[in-house]
Amino acid sequence: MGAGSSLSLLRLLVGAGADEAIEELPLNRYVHKVSKEQIRRPDPRVLATSRENTSSVASGVANDKEFLASSPRTIETLEELRMSVEAFDGCQLKRTATNTVFADGNPKADLMLIGEAPGAEEDRKGIPFVGKAGHLLDRMLAAIDRDRGSAYITNVLFWRPPGNRNPTAEEIDVCLPFVKRHIALVQPRVLVLVGAVAAKSLLDLTEGISRIRGKWYSYDLGGVDTPIDTTAIFHPAFLLRQGNKKRETWQDLIAIRTRLSSHQERG
Ligand code: URA
């Protein structure tokens, strides 16, 4: 095969979302029939590191639910949480990601936003919301007189799903205890869930984002003094495709600003 056709084949693969080399040698999937059992079998390299970390988690799926449910709750500081997330080998996405994307902004802010997962740009830089959607999120924050000095930003997933595919329920479940601890440590006055994945997984709802947004929820984490005022908005990546939803988002942003002001007045 000539260099030109190799390059166009590579472009075709990247265009189809296969932009990460996971195995050292290519697998001909027309020849190999992989059983479900093989897919779920833990990678021994992941198991070895998890055992060293005593986390007993493998293959992207928690096989020690108790560990996942209890361990992050004992973490007392954001720095400890960041280190635990960086050392955690229980999510397969980490194997293909370049960086762990933990958070950005001011952890002392009264406003916390949680998105879905890092994209390509975020994965490269290790910072959430720095690509096109991130620039729109910055403009949305500016519309309510906020920036990354007065807001704290993270995601439900700390690693980029290859090719920006949708995260699986297992990947979300395995990261959620860390995300909940993250919220409990920041204790924002107002929590904004950015997009359907964050809204559904944290509020444990099955409706679509169009039904979830525009309402307020009392998010009770347990261990936090008072439930947190929580709402959801359309994801900026969705708004970039569906400009007609900006009007509703503007109303949501105004409601967030009003809620923040009422907290400031109460002191
Ligand atoms: N989309 C997200 O949900 N999070 C990011 O960090 C970037 C894009």
Side-chain angles (χ1 to χ4, degrees):
M1 191 186 289
S5 47
S6 299
L7 194 61
S8 57
L9 181 59
L10 202 57
R11 284 209 183 98
L12 180 80
L13 287 170
V14 171
D19 58 355
E20 304 286 342
I22 298 172
E23 303 294 341
E24 288 183 7
L25 292 171
L27 254 188
N28 184 347
R29 297 199 183 274
Y30 291 104
V31 174
H32 292 273
K33 285 223 175 349
V34 183
S35 69
K36 273 191 187 155
E37 218 256 308
Q38 273 174 300
I39 294 170
R40 294 183 67 89
R41 196 173 53 217
D43 175 344
R45 285 167 300 176
V46 178
L47 253 187
T49 10
S50 337
R51 283 209 191 98
E52 276 152 31
N53 294 340
T54 65
S55 64
S56 349
V57 181
S59 175
V61 184
N63 58 11
D64 182 347
K65 293 240 165 67
E66 217 172 292
F67 161 78
L68 278 173
S70 64
S71 170
R73 272 197 248 136
T74 64
I75 293 171
E76 293 299 333
T77 66
L78 282 176
E79 202 38 44
E80 256 184 74
L81 182 69
R82 177 196 287 273
M83 288 189 313
S84 301
V85 169
E86 282 172 356
F88 184 63
D89 284 320
C91 183
Q92 284 281 26
L93 295 176
K94 190 180 180 186
R95 294 175 62 201
T96 48
T98 308
N99 279 299
T100 299
V101 179
F102 185 71
D104 192 29
N106 183 354
K108 297 205 161 68
D110 52 357
L111 171 63
M112 180 173 188
L113 297 104
I114 304 184
E116 178 177 326
E121 198 63 16
E122 290 78 17
D123 181 50
R124 251 190 301 279
K125 297 193 173 142
I127 305 170
F129 283 104
V130 286
K132 268 194 197 155
H135 293 151
L136 178 54
L137 185 66
D138 284 338
R139 294 212 305 278
M140 287 157 68
L141 284 174
I144 53 167
D145 306 314
R146 294 279 172 151
D147 58 20
R148 292 181 189 225
S150 51
Y152 186 70
I153 304 174
T154 185
N155 282 307
V156 168
L157 293 170
F158 301 99
W159 301 278
R160 180 196 180 211
N164 292 349
R165 64 158 170 75
N166 290 335
T168 65
E170 284 167 343
E171 288 158 357
I172 294 172
D173 281 354
V174 97
C175 291
L176 266 189
F178 291 105
V179 179
K180 289 183 178 172
R181 191 68 195 145
H182 209 162
I183 302 168
L185 290 171
V186 174
Q187 291 210 27
R189 291 299 175 97
V190 171
L191 177 64
V192 177
L193 305 173
V194 182
V197 169
K200 288 180 179 189
S201 52
L202 279 155
L203 294 172
D204 204 12
L205 294 173
T206 50
E207 299 113 289
I209 183 70
S210 300
R211 286 183 179 275
I212 300 174
R213 61 148 286 278
K215 297 176 190 151
W216 285 91
Y217 305 83
S218 258
Y219 194 56
D220 194 349
L221 273 168
V224 172
D225 298 347
T226 41
I228 299 168
D229 266 350
T230 300
T231 192
I233 58 174
F234 287 124
H235 196 286
F238 174 73
L239 292 174
L240 286 171
R241 300 190 303 271
Q242 300 273 330
N244 59 338
K245 298 286 180 194
K246 284 190 180 153
R247 188 187 155 91
E248 282 146 281
T249 304
W250 175 245
Q251 288 164 352
D252 294 343
L253 290 171
I254 300 293
I256 292 165
R257 182 163 65 185
T258 307
R259 193 60 68 118
L260 285 163
S261 307
S262 75
H263 277 291
Q264 280 160 0
E265 278 160 22
R266 275 185 262 154

